[in-house]
């Protein structure tokens, strides 16, 4: 497997607040985390919670990661979070899988695989619009080739066995049950064509390894027929994916 340097893994971190106010700010951060993960998320409620925070009270947060995985996410919500927390698109979080222990007491082959950028969460969310994905990609290009597991077992590769396959944002995007668009795939390819054939295995001839690229992910989709034009794009853009 590739050697991957772990990016900065973050959880909500409070700073620059008086010690007497720290518990109050912690509670406010907790409520904001909960909002970003809940059905109550909206632009209005989010703005209200953020503006209630003391200025500069939060340095890092998982707000953006959680919002990107929320069914109610919109471009305006993401823009608001980036306005107040501009560095959050370039930080990682393990809030869905907050440990490096997998089922059957297995361990992550690489500790970096337990952390994900907001782009991964957005790509894995059927309800996240393409304009959000494109914005996050612009704000953090390095997330494009970062491999991780959002869930135990990694990406869905159409097998019943436990696969332990980590995926890039494009892997997760092509695993969506719906709302997969060719134009968004083209944006990924325009930034770095190599992402079409990225895998957590270096050697495609290694029979013991799960060599699984975004193209393989696409071919394993349970509803492939509406996505055949994306298959054609892969082949035209980089014939080596076959």
């Amino acid at each position: 497997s590739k050697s991957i340097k772990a990016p900065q893994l973050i959880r909500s971190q409070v700073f620059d607040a008086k010690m007497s106010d720290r518990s109050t700010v912690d509670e406010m951060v907790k409520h904001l985390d909960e909002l970003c993960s809940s059905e109550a998320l909206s632009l209005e409620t989010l703005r209200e919670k953020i503006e209630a925070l003391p200025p500069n009270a939060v340095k890092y947060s998982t707000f953006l990661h959680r919002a990107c995985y929320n069914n109610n996410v919109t471009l305006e919500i993401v823009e608001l979070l980036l306005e107040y927390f501009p560095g959050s698109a370039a930080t990682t979080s393990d809030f869905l899988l907050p440990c490096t222990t997998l089922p059957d007491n297995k361990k992550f082959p690489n500790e970096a695989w337990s952390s994900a950028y907001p782009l991964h969460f957005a790509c894995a969310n059927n309800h996240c619009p393409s304009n959000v994905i494109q914005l996050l990609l612009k704000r953090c290009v390095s997330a494009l080739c970062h491999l991780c597991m959002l869930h135990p077992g990694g990406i869905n590769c159409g097998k019943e066995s436990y696969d332990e396959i980590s995926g890039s944002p494009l892997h997760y995007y092509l695993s969506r049950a719906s709302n997969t668009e060719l134009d968004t795939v083209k944006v990924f390819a325009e930034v770095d064509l190599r992402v079409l054939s990225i895998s957590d295995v270096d050697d495609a001839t290694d029979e013991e390894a799960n060599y699984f690229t975004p193209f393989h992910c696409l071919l394993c989709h349970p509803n492939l027929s509406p996505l055949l034009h994306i298959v054609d794009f892969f082949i035209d853009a980089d014939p080596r994916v076959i």
Side-chain angles (χ1 to χ4, degrees):
S1 296
K2 294 181 179 178
S3 177
I4 305 171
K5 184 179 180 181
Q8 182 181 27
L9 177 63
I10 59 97
R11 298 179 178 85
S12 295
Q13 177 182 344
V14 177
F15 84 118
D16 197 24
K18 295 179 180 180
M19 291 303 296
S20 60
D21 299 332
R22 188 63 60 91
S23 61
T24 300
V25 175
D26 278 340
E27 191 68 18
M28 296 171 73
V29 168
K30 177 183 176 182
H31 290 161
L32 190 49
D33 267 336
E34 292 172 350
L35 173 65
C36 289
S37 293
S38 76
E39 295 181 357
L41 179 64
S42 69
L43 184 62
E44 294 73 21
T45 55
L46 180 63
R47 187 183 300 278
E48 180 181 342
K49 293 286 186 182
I50 290 177
E51 292 181 349
L53 284 170
N56 302 317
V58 180
K59 183 176 181 181
Y60 302 120
S61 78
T62 60
F63 308 147
L64 181 60
H65 305 73
R66 294 171 184 272
C68 286
Y69 205 57
N70 193 305
N71 289 355
N72 295 338
V73 64
T74 64
L75 179 62
E76 293 74 21
I77 285 174
V78 171
E79 288 176 332
L80 179 64
L81 285 167
L82 288 173
E83 176 186 347
Y84 282 89
F85 312 105
S88 56
T91 55
T92 63
S93 173
D94 62 351
F95 86 89
L96 279 183
L97 198 61
C99 67
T100 56
T101 301
L102 295 169
D104 302 321
N105 294 319
K106 295 184 179 182
K107 297 289 184 179
F108 279 104
N110 187 303
E111 188 173 345
W113 291 356
S114 67
S115 61
Y117 288 94
L119 181 61
H120 291 84
F121 293 107
C123 287
N125 180 5
N126 296 340
H127 301 276
C128 184
S130 293
N131 53 11
V132 168
I133 292 173
Q134 295 181 27
L135 174 60
L136 292 173
L137 183 53
K138 291 178 182 178
R139 296 295 291 263
C140 185
V141 175
S142 60
L144 186 64
C145 293
H146 178 68
L147 300 162
C148 70
M149 296 183 188
L150 293 184
H151 306 284
I155 57 175
N156 176 20
C157 61
K159 301 178 183 178
E160 294 182 359
S161 61
Y162 179 74
D163 298 295
E164 298 180 28
I165 299 176
S166 63
S168 68
L170 186 55
H171 280 93
Y172 287 105
Y173 186 69
L174 295 173
S175 296
R176 284 180 165 198
S178 60
N179 199 21
T180 307
E181 300 175 357
L182 175 59
D183 286 344
T184 301
V185 176
K186 287 182 176 180
V187 171
F188 279 96
E190 288 170 1
V191 174
D192 191 340
L193 189 62
R194 294 174 300 173
V195 76
L196 299 183
S197 56
I198 191 173
S199 171
D200 62 11
V201 176
D202 291 311
D203 186 2
T205 64
D206 185 353
E207 295 182 358
E208 298 298 322
N210 284 313
Y211 185 77
F212 203 72
T213 68
F215 186 64
H216 296 128
C217 207
L218 177 60
L219 295 180
C220 289
H221 199 283
N223 190 23
L224 181 60
S225 294
L227 305 176
L228 290 177
H229 61 301
I230 300 181
V231 173
D232 291 338
F233 168 76
F234 265 77
I235 296 172
D236 291 340
D238 187 359
R240 294 172 300 175
V241 301
I242 301 177

